[in-house]
Amino acid sequence: MAEDVQRHSVHTLVFRSLKRSHDMFLANQGLLPPVDEKAENVRRTVKARDFYGLVFDDVKKMQAMKNLREAEAGPNPPPPGTDHQENSINENAVVPYMEAPLATRGQQNNQNQLANIIKKSPAMPKPKWHPPWKLYRVIAGHLGWVRCVALEPGNEWFATGAADRIIKIWDLASGQLKVSLTGHVSTVRGLAVSTRHPYLFSCGEDRQVKCWDLEYNKVIRHYHGHLSAVYSLALHPTIDVLLSAGRDSTARVWDMRTKANIHTLTGHSHTVAKVIAQASEPQVITGSHDTTIRLWDLAAGKSICTLTNHKKSVRDLVFHPTLNMFASGSPDNIKQWKCPDGKFIQNLSGHNAIINCLAVNAESVLVSGGDNGTLHFWDWRTGYNFQRLQAPVQPGSMDSEAGIFSMTFDNSGSRLITTEADKTIKIYKEDDTATEETHPINWKPDILKRRKF
């Protein structure tokens, strides 16, 4: 019969195991492991390459260039009468020294100074000539202030929203009314037409954000969450995301299909008057009555940076269609900015009105619309104001009803649609008869164009 195994407690077994380990390693515990020469060499090589790799590469390049120059030059013996020692000194010099007469050297110095002065003088680019614009159609039909406009991607029709709570869809070519959409219970303040789906989005002072299916002309989705009037809408160009902003000092990011409020972009301390979106960073920009512009990280739902240059409320923002830039409109002036970090470029001063809206086309014509019915046309690059117009009010309206609330260019950039306080929609086009001779550029550059922040 097998002998019974003596049972020990876990404490005893662990203690014995520790003692065995201690006895095994006691003899050489103070000794370091032997140095592996191969591993040490590899470590040194990697460290040197990591620290000085760029220097090694530069040395190799310089050596290769020197060999190439020597191969191209071929054998070149020194001219007779030159000392070998002087030649060797010249070879070792970083820049070969060539003796030149004093007169020649003085002339070279003067030429260099003159070249530096010419280089340093600031270049003032001349503005590109743009034909003037003229009013060619007035569309009446709304019974209240026309507050917003959105163009269809196919350039066939456009939609307007007004204080009469109705969204009207108009034919762009003829100006005829196609459809009236009713459903809002207060002023319609923002519209956006999807480029990816047959949807029209609208928002208003009734705190509602609606999605209309244009195949049935019916509301198919509501986006609930805003605590006050919603003033602006934007659609992301590449993903199914809707952005809205309003009087509750927030901008909200919605999943177009599920109606989920993905992010609430908080940080502004006053009404967010405008939100715009683009595919590249920053994907979302907001302008507010708290005088700031914020650039947002759409994925994180957080503010990247805040632009505080404006002194008065920012009512509109617009992206340039081809340059990676955007403009902001405020009663103090219009400012241009560079994406993605919001670098200030220049001021466009001179439109002394409350600027409600901005629009820019691919020809770099920027238009600003004022609360007093004035339209200013600018060359984007130079900031030259090449035309000023006063929108005529509809017969029977008071002059004080001249106010432009929103505007957009059509997709060709040759038609400008404005919506106004006299309850009309006005369409402007370029004057085909104008030339550079009949309408010359009257441009005098400033002596020193300062950046006024």
Side-chain angles (χ1 to χ4, degrees):
M1 194 171 85
E3 188 180 346
D4 290 340
V5 178
Q6 187 178 358
R7 295 177 180 278
H8 292 287
S9 68
V10 175
H11 181 271
T12 307
L13 293 172
V14 169
F15 185 77
R16 285 183 181 175
S17 175
L18 280 171
K19 191 169 184 311
R20 277 197 299 273
S21 301
H22 177 264
D23 294 342
M24 185 183 298
F25 296 110
L26 180 66
N28 59 353
Q29 69 165 353
L31 300 177
L32 291 171
V35 176
D36 186 347
E37 288 294 334
K38 188 176 177 185
E40 192 65 19
N41 287 337
V42 169
R43 186 185 71 83
R44 281 202 194 108
T45 310
V46 168
K47 193 169 182 182
R49 185 75 207 166
D50 187 37
F51 280 14
Y52 307 111
L54 294 172
V55 178
F56 292 159
D57 292 344
D58 285 347
V59 168
K60 283 179 186 171
K61 280 181 193 168
M62 293 291 285
Q63 191 64 41
M65 284 170 68
K66 187 178 175 187
N67 294 340
L68 186 66
R69 276 201 298 270
E70 286 175 359
E72 286 175 350
N76 191 11
T82 56
D83 189 16
H84 176 69
Q85 187 179 357
E86 285 179 10
N87 201 18
S88 64
I89 290 168
N90 198 15
E91 281 178 2
N92 293 333
V94 177
V95 178
Y97 173 68
M98 298 291 289
E99 186 68 41
L102 285 171
T104 313
R105 269 188 276 169
Q107 192 176 354
Q108 283 176 352
N109 286 341
N110 290 338
Q111 284 176 352
N112 290 342
Q113 286 172 0
L114 188 63
N116 288 338
I117 290 166
I118 291 167
K119 274 183 198 168
K120 283 174 188 172
S121 65
M124 297 297 290
K126 196 177 180 202
K128 180 185 170 188
W129 184 82
H130 300 284
W133 292 69
K134 62 179 183 181
L135 177 67
Y136 90 102
R137 177 172 286 149
V138 178
I139 301 170
H142 278 291
L143 303 176
W145 288 356
V146 192
R147 299 302 303 239
C148 51
V149 60
L151 196 84
E152 181 252 344
N155 217 36
E156 292 181 1
W157 53 265
F158 63 94
T160 54
D164 59 7
R165 311 187 297 276
I166 299 173
I167 300 163
K168 289 183 184 281
I169 292 177
W170 311 85
D171 185 73
L172 181 60
S174 65
Q176 296 298 311
L177 178 65
K178 295 177 82 169
V179 179
S180 291
L181 303 174
T182 57
H184 279 280
V185 294
S186 189
T187 304
V188 182
R189 291 296 295 262
L191 291 170
V193 186
S194 175
T195 55
R196 298 156 56 86
H197 310 285
Y199 296 157
L200 168 71
F201 295 87
S202 64
C203 65
E205 292 179 6
D206 51 9
R207 298 181 294 183
Q208 295 184 35
V209 180
K210 295 175 185 283
C211 172
W212 304 77
D213 188 327
L214 295 173
E215 290 175 348
Y216 300 99
N217 296 336
K218 288 195 170 105
V219 178
I220 56 168
R221 295 188 191 104
H222 287 92
Y223 302 87
H224 296 289
H226 276 285
L227 307 175
S228 191
V230 191
Y231 284 168
S232 177
L233 280 182
L235 288 165
H236 195 284
T238 56
I239 55 176
D240 287 344
V241 160
L242 170 70
L243 297 115
S244 60
R247 209 164 60 197
D248 58 3
S249 307
T250 66
R252 291 176 189 263
V253 184
W254 308 92
D255 186 309
M256 194 187 287
R257 293 183 177 282
T258 65
K259 303 177 282 188
N261 187 180
I262 304 164
H263 294 304
T264 301
L265 308 179
T266 56
H268 285 294
S269 59
H270 207 307
T271 300
V272 183
K274 186 70 175 180
V275 59
I276 52 174
Q278 64 173 356
S280 57
E281 293 296 336
Q283 295 185 58
V284 181
I285 305 176
T286 54
S288 170
H289 287 186
D290 65 8
T291 75
T292 66
I293 299 162
R294 282 182 182 258
L295 282 56
W296 300 88
D297 180 344
L298 182 59
K302 292 199 168 61
S303 177
I304 303 168
C305 76
T306 307
L307 310 176
T308 57
N309 302 34
H310 279 293
K311 302 294 181 286
K312 296 189 178 177
S313 59
V314 180
R315 294 201 176 198
D316 203 12
L317 302 167
V318 65
F319 283 119
H320 191 286
T322 53
L323 306 174
N324 194 23
M325 295 170 71
F326 68 97
S328 57
S330 172
D332 53 6
N333 49 35
I334 300 161
K335 293 183 188 291
Q336 289 177 350
W337 314 84
K338 191 106 173 71
C339 296
D341 51 358
K343 183 188 170 195
F344 173 75
I345 302 299
Q346 67 175 348
N347 282 323
L348 278 60
S349 302
H351 196 170
N352 300 319
I354 296 170
I355 295 171
N356 281 332
C357 49
L358 298 170
V360 61
N361 67 6
E363 295 291 315
S364 290
V365 174
L366 175 69
V367 191
S368 53
D371 213 36
N372 57 359
T374 53
L375 278 170
H376 282 217
F377 294 80
W378 313 80
D379 177 54
W380 178 280
R381 193 167 63 98
T382 58
Y384 168 59
N385 181 202
F386 68 88
Q387 190 182 8
R388 298 182 179 188
L389 286 177
Q390 172 69 49
V393 294
Q394 193 179 20
S397 302
M398 294 182 291
D399 288 342
S400 59
E401 285 189 292
I404 300 167
F405 288 125
S406 70
M407 61 169 64
T408 185
F409 280 102
D410 75 343
N411 292 339
S412 68
S414 61
R415 298 286 182 274
L416 175 68
I417 306 164
T418 65
T419 66
E420 309 200 3
D422 63 356
K423 306 173 190 171
T424 65
I425 300 142
K426 295 188 175 73
I427 305 181
Y428 296 82
K429 68 174 181 180
E430 291 177 341
D431 188 350
D432 301 330
T433 60
T435 62
E436 288 193 54
E437 286 73 33
T438 59
H439 293 78
I441 293 174
N442 181 23
W443 183 68
K444 296 187 178 84
D446 300 332
I447 301 301
L448 181 65
K449 192 159 187 181
R450 288 186 302 134
R451 287 188 175 184
K452 295 178 191 169
F453 291 89

